[in-house]
Amino acid sequence: MDDALRLDERRAAARPIAPPSKPRRSAIRENGVILAGLGALALVSCVLFMTIDARGAWGFVLPFRGAKLAAMLLVGHAIAVSTILFQTISANRILTPSIMGFDAFYGLIQTVLVFFAGAAFAAALDPKLLFTVETITLIGFASLLYGTLLSTGARDIHRLLLSGVILGVLFRSVSGLMQRLIDPTEFVVVQDRLFASFNSVDTTLLGISAIVIAVVTLAVIRMLPVLDVLALGREPAISLGIEHRRMVLIVLGIVASFVAVSTALVGPVAFFGLLVASLARVLVGSREHAATILAASLLAAIALVAGQTILERVLGFDAVLGMVVEFIGGIVFLVLLLKRGTA
Amino acid sequence: MIETNALSKRYGDTVVVDGVTLSLPAAEVTAIIGPNGAGKSTFLSMIARLLSIDTGTAHVCGMDVAKAPSDALALKLAVLRQDNQIVARLTVRDLVGFGRFPHSRGRLTGEDRAMVEEAIGFLGLQDFAERYLDELSGGQRQRAFVAMVLAQDTQTILLDEPLNNLDIRHAVAMMRLVRRAADELGKTIVVVLHDINFAAAYADRIVAMKNGRVAVEGRVEDVVTETIIGEIFGIEASIRQVDDQIVCLFRR
Ligand SMILES: Nc1ncnc2c1ncn2[C@@H]1O[C@H](COP(=O)(O)OP(=O)(O)OP(=O)(O)O)[C@@H](O)[C@H]1O
Ligand SMILES: [Mg+2]
């Protein structure tokens, strides 16, 4: 502001041709070492997961473990990116799509389908077709419901959190009620779909999941600069020329697609996204989504693949990965909630 | 040029902006004054399309703000809000860089960078450019947000209480900067001020709002009078001419 005070002198001097601007390096380059390290760790985890204890039975082990590995990578990426995107549009660092009831809603869609169409019908349908229909329904409802919630000024974090918890409980209770009303044999069909876990990955949907994730990830990459502006909050984003409502709906659609994939493959995961998103921000900051998203996705891959390798191959506990990541994520959630309400 | 026609906003049964019709000419500094809750921020937010308009219209540089594409408007209109909170953790330079988004869509060119540095310089933030916003004092942070608005380099600028948190030296520098932007660059500037002396010293025109309406509007000497100020704020004021400046004193 000294310049403004001495404005006449300043005006007399010609405008500097090359001002002393330090070209800011992109966040990816700035954190190149960290990101490369994470990439290497993720790679090592994958190799170890595929090879430890294989005992030469490659013909069986490779496709079996390969499918499981692919599922973990897809799910990790989906949860990490959807969490960061949802936190960007809701302008807080505590909520995840899951806490807001996205996956409960996905479960409800599945239950409703079996309830009204019958398990026989649902089972006869091509699972890929079913998945597509369910995903589109989730995108539609998520945009409607959460779009309204986010744009009607419900920016108070605690109100959002409460709405999410209530919606989640509502969806789960309605699902539960319907499941109790249907035939026990039909219930088994629903249960199969709802209680997938990291250990019983639904591999029939791997191909279509990979396609969905690829398409949606491309969309995210194209939106990266816009996401950075959205992170400033509603009013600053509008001032900078973002069609805020439209962008929030698009991002919600993307988040819903990610959630559909991860829920279809391994079932609901509540706090894991929070864990990797928070850790990614600590490691590479939150200035550019490009870096934050990449870091979160790699962290998710490391946590799931390395975690599964250690638990299953080294410690011999097969089914606890979901529990472990949720436990740690839950602790992060509590810490964040206690530390500060909004940021 | 900013034109509003019967602009109104209501919350429930309360009308907070009530049929405001104004025409603010280009290359002038207009100060909006008025008591707390008069509707100044609401009025500005509607013009800046941050708040939906209930009835009436607002035009900025000939564009209807309710209909024009947001990105086209962002090239013509920049706004500083009364309270600025950002969740993302950014440095001053990052924040000011966002001001260039309407022009560069996130890929800063050399020219964008030069304008960012210039805006940082204008607000005297060179020494803080690499600091995170949460490591600044209130006044420094306020200046960072103004620098972002300047970097947007628009014909029209809306500033809601830009002097918040500023010491007297920086307040004076800020108003000189505003004056200069209008005089030298022909920018149209609307600035909400609480200090009548600042409004009187630096504005071309003053709009006094009360209860959501424009109470008085006109040149400084027509608005800053003992009766008008007394009526709008409900206090006794003495208006004097000191050198060539109108000053306002408040009785004990
Ligand atoms: N979201 C809202 N819901 C209900 N009333 C509101 C809302 N926002 C503002 N108001 C009311 O509208 C009126 C005008 O508010 P506004 O912020 O425009 O006042 P202002 O003139 O900028 O005041 P200040 O000088 O304190 O900044 C106030 O009475 C305020 O209480
Ligand atoms: Mg105000």
Side-chain angles (χ1 to χ4, degrees):
Chain A
M1 194 110 47
D2 289 319
D3 287 332
L5 289 169
R6 276 185 269 115
L7 63 97
D8 289 323
E9 295 156 46
R10 203 191 141 84
R11 214 174 344 147
R15 209 196 215 192
I17 298 161
S21 96
K22 264 188 276 166
R24 190 85 148 95
R25 284 186 306 168
S26 80
I28 289 199
R29 278 219 212 128
E30 206 168 57
N31 297 294
V33 179
I34 294 176
L35 289 169
L38 290 179
L41 260 179
L43 201 66
V44 170
S45 310
C46 291
V47 171
L48 287 180
F49 177 80
M50 290 298 285
T51 51
I52 287 187
D53 275 351
R55 297 202 185 91
W58 295 114
F60 167 72
V61 161
L62 277 188
F64 178 72
R65 289 191 184 176
K68 208 162 162 180
L69 178 67
M72 282 194 283
L73 293 178
L74 288 176
V75 167
H77 177 73
I79 292 175
V81 182
S82 63
T83 302
I84 288 186
L85 294 190
F86 191 77
Q87 294 185 342
T88 291
I89 53 171
S90 59
N92 79 84
R93 299 288 164 78
I94 292 179
L95 301 182
T96 70
S98 181
I99 295 173
M100 292 301 291
F102 269 67
D103 45 15
F105 191 78
Y106 188 78
L108 179 62
I109 297 173
Q110 293 182 321
T111 312
V112 166
L113 206 84
V114 177
F115 186 79
F116 286 111
F121 178 74
L125 276 181
D126 182 357
K128 294 184 188 86
L129 178 70
L130 213 55
F131 171 73
T132 311
V133 172
E134 287 164 354
T135 304
I136 291 172
T137 317
L138 180 67
I139 292 174
F141 274 88
S143 308
L144 260 175
L145 195 60
Y146 298 98
T148 322
L149 204 59
L150 289 178
S151 62
T152 47
R155 260 164 289 160
D156 171 14
I157 165 94
H158 295 109
R159 232 163 68 198
L160 261 179
L161 185 58
L162 201 62
S163 321
V165 170
I166 291 173
L167 285 172
V169 169
L170 177 73
F171 298 151
R172 271 177 217 116
S173 315
V174 175
S175 305
L177 180 68
M178 286 181 154
Q179 285 161 16
R180 240 159 264 144
L181 290 176
I182 53 181
D183 196 289
T185 47
E186 303 204 333
F187 175 65
V188 175
V189 178
V190 191
Q191 200 184 28
D192 249 16
R193 303 169 141 269
L194 286 182
F195 296 93
S197 74
F198 284 104
N199 218 46
S200 59
V201 169
D202 189 346
T203 45
T204 43
L205 295 175
L206 264 187
I208 190 165
S209 297
I211 294 172
V212 171
I213 297 255
V215 170
V216 176
T217 301
L218 270 180
V220 171
I221 291 173
R222 290 197 46 185
M223 281 185 80
L224 284 171
V226 174
L227 289 171
D228 293 338
V229 177
L230 281 175
L232 298 178
R234 178 181 175 272
E235 282 81 10
I238 296 177
S239 306
L240 294 174
I242 300 284
E243 307 263 6
H244 187 260
R245 205 183 141 65
R246 201 168 73 90
M247 284 304 156
V248 165
L249 288 180
I250 291 176
V251 174
L252 276 174
I254 292 175
V255 169
S257 313
F258 277 129
V259 172
V261 169
S262 77
T263 316
L265 288 180
V266 302
V269 183
F271 297 115
F272 180 57
L274 202 63
L275 174 68
V276 289
S278 310
L279 212 53
R281 286 206 189 87
V282 171
L283 287 177
V284 303
S286 53
R287 175 164 63 100
E288 282 178 29
H289 277 77
T292 323
I293 284 178
L294 187 56
S297 181
L298 289 172
L299 281 167
I302 295 168
L304 292 184
V305 180
Q308 184 71 8
T309 311
I310 293 170
L311 288 173
E312 188 181 322
R313 307 275 196 282
V314 182
L315 299 178
F317 301 123
D318 270 15
V320 295
L321 178 66
M323 244 165 65
V324 171
V325 295
E326 289 289 80
F327 179 67
I328 302 174
I331 291 174
V332 172
F333 175 71
L334 286 179
V335 169
L336 286 176
L337 202 60
L338 292 176
K339 222 171 79 184
R340 36 188 175 167
T342 46
Chain B
M1 177 93 171
I2 298 173
E3 281 178 305
T4 68
N5 188 13
L7 205 58
S8 299
K9 180 80 189 175
R10 61 164 71 235
Y11 289 109
D13 289 337
T14 339
V15 183
V16 296
V17 172
D18 191 0
V20 173
T21 301
L22 276 176
S23 175
L24 308 175
E28 278 198 6
V29 177
T30 304
I32 302 184
I33 59 171
N36 290 148
K40 307 179 294 292
S41 299
T42 309
F43 175 65
L44 237 53
S45 297
M46 283 194 285
I47 297 176
R49 67 185 171 327
L50 303 180
L51 205 59
S52 62
I53 295 171
D54 283 351
T55 55
T57 55
H59 285 82
V60 171
C61 297
M63 285 189 277
D64 184 336
V65 299
K67 295 188 185 125
S70 193
D71 50 354
L73 261 171
L75 293 167
K76 296 287 177 198
L77 174 78
V79 58
L80 172 80
R81 293 187 313 132
Q82 186 172 347
D83 46 11
N84 299 285
Q85 276 177 351
I86 283 186
V87 180
R89 193 151 187 272
L90 301 172
T91 64
V92 171
R93 188 170 272 128
D94 295 337
L95 180 78
V96 180
F98 274 112
R100 297 305 299 163
F101 181 83
H103 304 267
S104 61
R105 319 273 341 148
R107 287 180 207 289
L108 295 192
T109 63
E111 192 189 342
D112 290 323
R113 290 217 171 79
M115 298 200 79
V116 168
E117 295 311 313
E118 193 179 44
I120 288 175
F122 276 146
L123 275 302
L125 291 165
Q126 298 91 332
D127 295 344
F128 310 110
E130 287 302 316
R131 280 263 203 106
Y132 283 97
L133 292 176
D134 54 10
E135 300 165 350
L136 295 178
S137 78
Q140 290 161 350
R141 200 173 311 128
Q142 175 79 353
R143 276 148 59 201
F145 280 98
V146 175
M148 173 180 169
V149 168
L150 282 194
Q152 206 174 328
D153 191 29
T154 53
Q155 161 61 33
T156 337
I157 300 175
L158 310 178
L159 302 170
D160 198 346
E161 303 193 20
L163 306 186
N164 273 357
N165 292 321
L166 297 193
D167 63 38
I168 191 69
R169 174 191 150 88
H170 286 107
V172 167
M174 176 81 72
M175 289 316 292
R176 286 188 184 171
L177 199 60
V178 164
R179 198 56 264 169
R180 204 181 137 200
D183 293 340
E184 290 175 24
L185 304 171
K187 305 225 182 235
T188 312
I189 300 175
V190 181
V191 44
V192 175
L193 295 174
H194 276 301
D195 190 324
I196 295 161
N197 287 318
F198 272 99
Y202 293 101
D204 297 299
R205 155 191 306 273
I206 295 185
V207 173
M209 288 186 71
K210 190 172 187 183
N211 298 330
R213 295 172 200 239
V214 174
V216 200
E217 183 225 344
R219 303 262 124 203
V220 172
E221 54 277 17
D222 302 329
V223 177
V224 184
T225 65
E226 288 178 0
T227 34
I228 291 177
I229 296 300
E231 215 161 83
I232 287 167
F233 292 97
I235 47 159
E236 282 181 50
S238 305
I239 311 286
R240 298 280 181 277
Q241 185 96 14
V242 176
D243 299 334
D244 60 342
Q245 237 168 282
I246 296 175
V247 294
C248 184
L249 301 167
F250 300 100
R251 302 241 174 91
R252 269 188 284 191

